[in-house]
């Protein structure tokens, strides 16, 4: 039956009536909403408790042997109640032959509820088939008014990746890219209007220095062919020169020499002057800088595409208007937020924010004594500008925890400027370090090099099994996808805030909870479908009540959880929430194969089991795509 039929049958209620009765109740996209609503309906007369209270206090269990849903009676906060007593009483009064629940099991104050398998299996598999790629998505979460879609979606900005031109795309940028891409997918799937912004590090004196280097050593051909590496090498070369020059000047100074001429002509001073030309919008200086930027973006885009990531906007520090920064600077002075200190302007938080917090926020500079703005100054202006431009409801900055203080300072300054409501819409999503990351070829940590190394490693592994290797149509492409999955899954396995060690051996292994293993599990369900050679009509007409084995029912119980898992992920904002679920699913699948043979079984049984595995294939694929992975079929 459809979920709708089931609702009518068990409660005599339409889905609309259920949606009116319970908060955020949408059984047509989330089967557990029906299960919760029904349970609250049944418990209402038994307990005399407001069914909404029951509905919102039903919990997940930690594993299927503990039931599908649980009610810790104490969570209802009833005055003077003996909770263990209540649990026992209520369980006794629970109907013997409820349509979708077994009789509850009680342990202490906990009531555990188990689904009956036939209605579960015969409603969840068709729902997964009907929704397909949409299963797990929730169009309601991001609506301005969940009751009235015509009022539109809420606006979300996810700012992520944000590498610095001419500098290595390091592990921090990789993590920001992976986590940010995932969060953008998550909110889009939850019905938000998501804007993906890449805020490039593309401004400052170092881009003056880079231009000098290009004039001296640049090579047009190389710039076209490989802008990222060429610019990096130019930058490294001139930085070394500048460092040597500084050393020399210091030594001469110490020896009593007059170094003023040397200083006036130094690379540092030339870079400063060149950057000044850029801020004064000198056309030639800007044209060269823009070429570096544009060529770099072309390359970044290619790499992002391999990671299934795109941006709506390549913004960057260069895009922040000097005029606006001047205005905000004046406003900060007028409001007493910043004060002069040896010619520079700084924000002394200890004088503005009481107690420990004020001390912790330190004393950042927002204007150097030569009048130039800084990273923080640009962020302040950019944030206020985004608020005007995009009217966002929420904005997420995906930036390493090394910048915790920077973002706290930013949000606090916005608040002190009188925009608490804007600061409250902003959220810093931080993450820990990647340790021990270097490539086999050398020390520079460009993302492309890392992805190439991991793909090579996967290719080596694939070659070890010649027969299977020969069955893969595009081995190099598959090796690349597996390599990327390896890196991404390792990155998303722990909580974001934890550091982890980049371990090529571990991440590329087919054993353990790795990217290759997840891909293998997905390809394996795919291959069953190919071997079974059944049509969609065959699967749609399968008699699902034949799925009685515990292995089959347990897989369906997990499939039913997927929309809830996504809702929970919207609370944790942790990729590992999804990954943990997917690995549980792959384990359940792998231990089921011996019990649920498809090919070789009698035809009706074959159809039913195939429908089950096909639904599992859909959910695994949906979860992997949410994480930004490209599921492989072979
Ligand atoms: N480009 C910066 C870096 O590499 C990250 C930018 C983070 N975003 C921001 N709005 N500050 O460190």
């Amino acid at each position: 039956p459809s979920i709708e039929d089931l609702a009518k049958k068990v409660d005599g209620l339409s889905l609309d009536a259920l949606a009116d009765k319970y908060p955020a109740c949408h059984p047509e996209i989330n089967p557990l909403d029906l299960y919760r609503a029904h349970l609250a309906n049944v418990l209402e007369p038994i307990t005399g408790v407001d069914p909404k209270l029951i509905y919102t206090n039903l919990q997940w269990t930690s594993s299927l042997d503990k039931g599908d849903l649980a009610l810790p009676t104490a969570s209802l906060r009833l005055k003077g109640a003996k909770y263990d007593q209540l649990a026992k009483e209520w369980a006794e009064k629970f109907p013997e032959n409820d349509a979708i629940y077994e009789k509850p099991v009680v342990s202490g104050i906990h009531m555990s509820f188990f689904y009956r398998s036939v209605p579960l299996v015969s409603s969840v598999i068709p729902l997964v088939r009907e929704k397909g790629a949409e299963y797990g998505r929730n169009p309601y979460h991001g609506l301005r008014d969940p009751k009235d879609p015509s009022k539109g979606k809420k606006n979300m900005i996810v700012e992520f990746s944000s590498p610095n031109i001419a500098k290595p795309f390091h592990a921090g940028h990789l993590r920001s890219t992976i986590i940010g891409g995932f969060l953008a997918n998550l909110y889009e799937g939850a019905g938000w209007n998501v804007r993906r912004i890449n805020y490039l590090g593309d401004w400052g004196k170092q881009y003056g220095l880079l231009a000098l280097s290009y004039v001296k050593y640049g090579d047009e051909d190389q710039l076209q062919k490989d802008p990222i590496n060429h610019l990096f090498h130019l930058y490294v070369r001139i930085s070394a020169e500048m460092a040597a020059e500084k050393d020399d000047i210091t030594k001469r100074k110490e020896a009593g020499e007059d170094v003023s001429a040397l200083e006036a002509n130094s690379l540092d001073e030339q870079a400063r002057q060149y950057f000044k030309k850029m801020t004064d919008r000198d056309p030639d200086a800007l044209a060269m800088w823009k070429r570096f930027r544009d060529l770099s973006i072309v390359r970044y885009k290619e790499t992002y595409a391999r990671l299934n990531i795109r941006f709506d906007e390549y913004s960057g520090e260069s895009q922040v208007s000097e005029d606006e920064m001047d205005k905000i600077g004046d406003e900060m002075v007028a409001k007493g937020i910043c004060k002069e200190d040896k010619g520079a302007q700084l924000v002394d938080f200890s004088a503005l924010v009481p107690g420990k917090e004020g001390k912790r926020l330190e004393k950042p500079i927002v204007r150097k004594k030569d009048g130039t703005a800084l990273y923080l100054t640009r962020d302040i202006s950019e944030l206020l500008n985004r608020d005007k431009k995009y009217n966002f409801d929420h904005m997420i900055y995906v930036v390493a925890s090394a910048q915790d203080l920077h973002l706290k300072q930013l949000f606090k300054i916005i608040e002190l400027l009188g925009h608490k409501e804007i600061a409250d819409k902003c959220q810093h999503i931080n993450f820990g370090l990647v340790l021990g990351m270097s490539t086999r070829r050398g020390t520079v940590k460009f993302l492309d090099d890392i992805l190439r190394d991991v793909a090579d490693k996967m290719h080596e592994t694939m070659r070890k099994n010649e027969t299977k290797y020969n069955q893969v149509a595009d081995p190099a492409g598959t090796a690349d996808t597996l390599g990327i999955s390896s890196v991404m899954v390792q990155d998303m396995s722990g909580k974001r805030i934890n550091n982890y060690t980049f371990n090529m051996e571990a991440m590329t292994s087919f054993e353990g909870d790795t990217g290759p293993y997840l891909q293998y599990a997905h390809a394996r369900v795919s291959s069953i479908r190919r071997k079974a050679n059944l049509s969609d009509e065959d699967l749609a007409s399968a008699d699902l009540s034949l799925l009685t084995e515990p292995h089959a029912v347990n897989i369906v119980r997990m499939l039913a959880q997927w929309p809830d898992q996504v809702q929970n992920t919207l609370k944790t904002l942790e990729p590992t929430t999804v990954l943990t679920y997917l690995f549980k699913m792959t384990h359940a699948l792998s231990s089921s194969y011996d019990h649920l043979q498809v090919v070789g079984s009698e035809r009706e049984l074959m159809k039913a089991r195939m429908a089950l595995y096909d639904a599992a294939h859909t959910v695994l694929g949906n979860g992997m795509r949410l994480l930004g992975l490209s599921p492989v079929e072979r």
Side-chain angles (χ1 to χ4, degrees):
S2 70
I3 289 288
E4 180 136 35
D5 298 336
L6 195 58
K8 284 242 175 64
K9 186 177 151 213
V10 299
D11 286 313
L13 288 176
S14 69
L15 296 187
D16 283 344
L18 287 177
D20 282 342
K21 186 164 176 188
Y22 295 107
C25 178
H26 305 290
E28 77 282 13
I29 54 164
N30 183 351
L32 295 202
D33 283 352
L34 173 67
Y35 275 92
R36 278 185 284 260
H38 176 65
L39 197 51
N41 287 344
V42 173
L43 289 172
E44 181 178 1
I46 295 176
T47 62
V49 173
D50 176 5
K52 270 200 200 78
L53 192 63
I54 296 175
Y55 185 86
T56 47
N57 277 296
L58 289 169
Q59 296 183 355
W60 302 306
T61 60
S62 54
S63 56
L64 293 179
D65 57 305
K66 301 199 175 70
D68 291 290
L69 289 171
L71 180 66
T73 49
S75 69
L76 299 173
R77 297 171 183 280
L78 307 172
K79 263 210 187 112
K82 287 216 172 81
Y83 292 111
D84 48 350
Q85 201 59 39
L86 278 182
K88 239 209 252 150
E89 257 169 50
W90 294 348
E92 271 158 26
K93 289 188 194 150
F94 199 90
E96 228 29 87
N97 42 17
D98 183 79
I100 58 174
Y101 279 105
E102 311 271 356
K103 193 106 168 136
V105 176
V106 171
S107 144
I109 63 158
H110 285 270
M111 302 177 75
S112 307
F113 302 90
F114 291 78
Y115 307 146
R116 286 191 193 280
S117 49
V118 176
L120 177 79
V121 167
S122 52
S123 61
V124 168
I125 293 177
L127 180 69
V128 177
R129 293 188 58 73
E130 178 205 320
K131 296 280 170 211
E134 298 287 305
Y135 184 58
R137 286 174 167 252
N138 174 354
Y140 301 101
H141 187 274
L143 288 181
R144 285 196 187 285
D145 177 355
K147 300 261 179 249
D148 181 3
S150 74
K151 296 225 172 85
K153 298 173 170 190
K154 290 197 242 178
N155 295 325
M156 166 72 73
I157 293 177
V158 183
E159 187 219 270
F160 65 108
S161 198
S162 310
N164 304 319
I165 286 172
K167 295 204 188 151
F169 191 112
H170 58 64
H173 301 120
L174 176 60
R175 293 208 78 184
S176 172
T177 308
I178 293 173
I179 296 166
F182 157 73
L183 291 174
N185 293 345
L186 179 68
Y187 277 96
E188 213 158 57
W192 290 65
N193 195 3
V194 176
R195 187 169 184 84
R196 295 162 166 86
I197 295 184
N198 196 333
Y199 182 68
L200 296 173
D202 59 355
W203 205 237
K205 197 172 73 180
Q206 64 267 39
Y207 297 96
L209 190 63
L210 180 66
L212 297 180
S213 188
Y214 184 76
V215 171
K216 281 172 100 172
Y217 311 115
D219 178 316
E220 178 61 29
D221 267 4
Q222 284 210 42
L223 179 68
Q224 293 287 346
K225 249 195 354 238
D226 191 357
I228 307 233
N229 276 301
H230 188 51
L231 293 175
F232 174 65
H233 288 303
L234 288 175
Y235 188 71
V236 169
R237 185 162 179 188
I238 199 100
S239 303
E241 249 174 64
M242 190 173 80
E245 194 187 69
K246 273 199 180 139
D247 271 0
D248 182 52
I249 294 180
T250 323
K251 278 202 196 103
R252 284 169 193 268
K253 220 185 206 163
E254 280 166 8
E257 242 179 85
D258 175 10
V259 293
S260 54
L262 281 178
E263 270 175 344
N265 209 11
S266 68
L267 283 171
D268 192 40
E269 178 55 23
Q270 288 178 48
R272 199 188 63 76
Q273 285 173 14
Y274 195 98
F275 180 59
K276 181 86 172 60
K277 280 206 281 184
M278 287 163 63
T279 54
D280 291 344
R281 312 218 85 68
D282 171 274
D284 291 339
L286 271 190
M288 172 134 75
W289 161 84
K290 190 169 179 314
R291 243 162 60 83
F292 295 165
R293 183 182 199 267
D294 290 349
L295 287 168
S296 300
I297 290 177
V298 170
R299 252 338 121 80
Y300 286 142
K301 278 187 182 163
E302 289 170 11
T303 307
Y304 290 135
R306 292 166 73 189
L307 301 170
N308 297 318
I309 280 167
R310 54 168 188 86
F311 289 93
D312 298 290
E313 182 181 335
Y314 283 82
S315 124
E317 295 179 45
S318 65
Q319 307 301 302
V320 183
S321 133
E322 293 288 331
D323 283 353
E324 271 175 37
M325 283 194 286
D326 284 344
K327 267 192 222 135
I328 296 167
D330 292 345
E331 192 184 331
M332 286 172 69
V333 174
K335 290 185 171 158
I337 299 170
C338 61
K339 62 175 195 197
E340 209 190 296
D341 187 87
K342 296 182 206 114
Q345 292 286 341
L346 57 74
V347 180
D348 180 1
F349 280 110
S350 62
L352 298 160
V353 179
K356 276 196 190 131
E357 198 196 345
K359 277 218 178 67
R360 256 190 251 124
L361 287 167
E362 300 182 3
K363 290 185 195 178
I365 297 178
V366 286
R367 263 301 156 192
K368 285 203 253 179
K369 69 167 182 279
D370 66 2
T372 47
L374 290 103
Y375 182 50
L376 179 58
T377 331
R378 290 191 273 272
D379 259 326
I380 298 167
S381 218
E382 171 74 6
L383 168 46
L384 295 173
N385 200 34
R386 284 184 199 167
D387 178 62
K388 274 192 227 127
K389 221 157 123 191
Y390 301 120
N391 178 34
F392 61 82
D393 296 277
H394 198 77
M395 172 153 66
I396 287 175
Y397 291 81
V398 190
V399 187
S401 57
Q403 295 193 29
D404 281 356
L405 179 63
H406 171 77
L407 286 139
K408 285 205 178 91
Q409 291 170 338
L410 168 62
F411 299 157
K412 189 49 97 182
I413 289 171
I414 298 293
E415 192 183 317
L416 292 170
L417 278 165
H419 303 296
K420 183 164 186 324
E421 80 293 350
I422 300 180
D424 286 345
K425 296 191 292 187
C426 295
Q427 181 178 17
H428 176 202
I429 291 289
N430 59 2
F431 50 83
L433 303 170
V434 186
L435 310 168
M437 189 156 129
S438 68
T439 65
R440 288 198 278 183
R441 278 178 185 75
T443 45
V444 177
K445 303 141 195 88
F446 282 103
L447 180 56
D448 278 331
D449 298 328
I450 291 158
L451 296 184
R452 192 183 337 111
D453 278 358
V454 184
D456 287 351
K457 173 95 183 136
M458 285 317 308
H459 211 151
E460 256 169 49
T461 311
M462 286 162 62
R463 279 209 187 87
K464 284 185 188 146
N465 187 331
E466 215 187 303
T467 353
K468 284 198 178 161
Y469 184 80
N470 292 331
Q471 289 169 19
V472 179
D474 171 18
T478 305
D480 191 52
T481 303
L482 292 181
I484 289 168
S485 304
S486 307
V487 173
M488 290 178 69
V489 167
Q490 182 169 72
D491 194 275
M492 298 190 282
S493 287
K495 285 215 172 128
R496 292 187 324 259
I497 195 67
N498 295 341
N499 300 343
Y500 74 88
T501 305
F502 191 86
N503 183 337
M504 180 94 96
E505 286 304 319
M507 76 170 82
T508 54
S509 168
F510 277 93
E511 269 148 46
D513 290 347
T514 64
Y517 175 71
L518 187 58
Q519 290 284 12
Y520 160 78
H522 183 266
R524 181 154 181 193
V525 265
S526 257
S527 89
I528 301 175
R529 178 79 194 257
R530 284 194 298 274
K531 288 189 192 126
N533 197 20
L534 291 168
S535 68
D536 279 338
E537 292 75 55
D538 288 334
L539 301 195
S541 66
D543 176 3
L544 300 170
S545 68
L546 295 173
L547 296 171
T548 53
E549 300 84 353
H551 281 98
V553 176
N554 284 347
I555 291 172
V556 181
R557 292 165 77 193
M558 295 176 76
L559 294 174
Q561 291 173 355
W562 172 237
D564 255 27
Q565 291 285 348
V566 179
Q567 292 312 295
N568 188 31
T569 308
L570 282 158
K571 295 195 185 107
T572 65
L573 302 182
E574 294 277 0
T576 186
T577 309
V578 174
L579 212 46
T580 304
Y581 167 80
L582 293 181
F583 279 121
K584 270 193 192 159
M585 178 69 86
T586 59
H587 299 156
L589 285 169
S590 90
S591 59
S592 74
Y593 294 126
D594 284 346
H595 304 269
L596 307 174
Q597 220 184 345
V598 177
V599 181
S601 289
E602 178 272 315
R603 187 165 168 86
E604 283 309 310
L605 198 55
M606 179 164 150
K607 279 162 62 179
R609 288 180 177 170
M610 193 63 246
L612 168 74
Y613 283 130
D614 199 51
H617 177 254
T618 299
V619 171
L620 270 188
N622 290 357
M624 290 170 78
R625 275 182 289 267
L626 171 59
L627 293 172
L629 303 170
S630 309
V632 300
E633 304 296 334
R634 274 178 207 267

